[in-house]
Amino acid sequence: MSEREVCAVVPAAGRGTRLGSGVPKIMIEIADGVTLWHLLHRRLSPAAGHVHVVVSPEGEGPFRALAAADLAGGGVSVSVQERPTGMGDAIFGPAARHWSAYGTILVVWGDQANLSPETVRAVLAAHPGKGMTLPLVPMPDPYVEYELAGGGLVRVRQSREGEECRPGGLSDVGVFCLATEGLEAAWARYAAAAGRGAATGEVNFLPFLAHLSQAEGWPVTVVPVRDPAEARGVNTAEDLEFARRAYLRCPG
């Protein structure tokens, strides 16, 4: 797939509360002078024609300063999620005008420090240009679990919403590749009928993927991921230390 067909979207409006960092998570340093943003940009920009980042109102100024050179080059843009109302709103709010002109959207969570460039390349190589392509990895104790059956995605269980995930279940690595044709309309149908999460009060994005498969008939392509470390985002001090050690071992 040509990079000109792909827009990577990075929802990064998280405030890093659990980390106590005082800066948006995407600006946290992994090594001296190397932030989460730098890692994600390195891994996404060779594969995507454009990278769009969604930030919080208070994070916009600091992020624009951090990414000034990238923004000036024209391959990166920014929009603001005014209120912390979930990943779906981040993707389908002001960001939509930036990605809707592309054939494919590659959604990548803004704290995926351990995502490998090999996984990004494998996902885009496997994506057939329609439906969704998901890189999934088995986990001993998944935080999110994807239930597949008959070639489709049946359900996404989320611990954060009080749902029980099964040991050994498949987890995502914070990367979701979707065709853009019909995507906004499908989200509108889903959001109009979806209940809000029991714990977060949000219209969650991940169950939308099951909706695309079950209600909209979208085909699902799964890309196996071998290393469960890729599923580990940066949410706690322990996660950050893990990411820093991993970067020192392999600073790619």
Side-chain angles (χ1 to χ4, degrees), residues 27 74 87 106 124 127 131 136 141 196 198 230 232:
M27 296 179 63
M87 295 297 187
L106 186 71
L124 291 176
H127 186 60
L136 300 176
D141 186 22
R196 295 188 175 270
E230 292 199 48
R232 188 168 184 172

Side-chain angles (χ1 to χ4, degrees), residues 111-183:
D111 65 351
Q112 294 303 122
N114 303 296
L115 174 66
S116 73
E118 291 79 16
T119 292
V120 174
R121 289 194 296 266
V123 168
L124 291 176
H127 186 60
K130 60 181 179 179
M132 74 183 98
T133 300
L134 305 174
L136 300 176
V137 60
M139 300 284 287
D141 186 22
Y143 181 68
V144 173
E145 185 201 352
Y146 290 70
E147 183 180 341
L148 301 162
L153 177 60
V154 175
R155 181 181 175 187
V156 181
R157 296 180 174 89
Q158 300 183 88
S159 296
R160 70 196 293 257
E161 295 293 7
E163 298 170 336
E164 185 175 351
C165 297
R166 299 170 297 182
L170 292 171
S171 177
D172 66 67
V173 297
V175 176
F176 315 90
C177 186
L178 305 164
T180 61
E181 184 176 358
L183 186 61

Side-chain angles (χ1 to χ4, degrees), residues 75-119:
V76 177
S77 58
V78 179
S79 65
V80 175
Q81 185 180 24
E82 295 293 343
R83 294 181 296 113
T85 48
M87 295 297 187
D89 286 344
I91 297 163
F92 293 98
R97 69 182 180 87
H98 294 273
W99 56 257
S100 58
Y102 292 81
T104 298
I105 179 175
L106 186 71
V107 177
V108 182
W109 295 160
D111 65 351
Q112 294 303 122
N114 303 296
L115 174 66
S116 73
E118 291 79 16
T119 292

Side-chain angles (χ1 to χ4, degrees), residues 226-237:
R226 294 181 179 179
D227 187 356
E230 292 199 48
R232 188 168 184 172
V234 178
N235 291 298
T236 66

Side-chain angles (χ1 to χ4, degrees), residues 182-210:
L183 186 61
E184 288 184 86
W187 172 260
R189 288 189 290 270
Y190 167 75
R196 295 188 175 270
T200 63
E202 300 170 355
V203 177
N204 282 305
F205 174 73
L206 297 184
F208 172 56
L209 302 176

Side-chain angles (χ1 to χ4, degrees), residues 31-99:
D32 187 29
V34 179
T35 67
L36 262 168
W37 162 245
H38 294 117
L39 291 184
L40 288 171
H41 188 240
R42 287 179 196 174
R43 292 163 189 178
L44 296 176
S45 57
H50 192 81
V51 180
H52 182 76
V53 184
V54 184
V55 296
S56 64
E58 61 269 29
E60 182 183 14
F63 180 76
R64 285 187 179 278
L66 174 69
D70 302 319
L71 290 164
V76 177
S77 58
V78 179
S79 65
V80 175
Q81 185 180 24
E82 295 293 343
R83 294 181 296 113
T85 48
M87 295 297 187
D89 286 344
I91 297 163
F92 293 98
R97 69 182 180 87
H98 294 273
W99 56 257

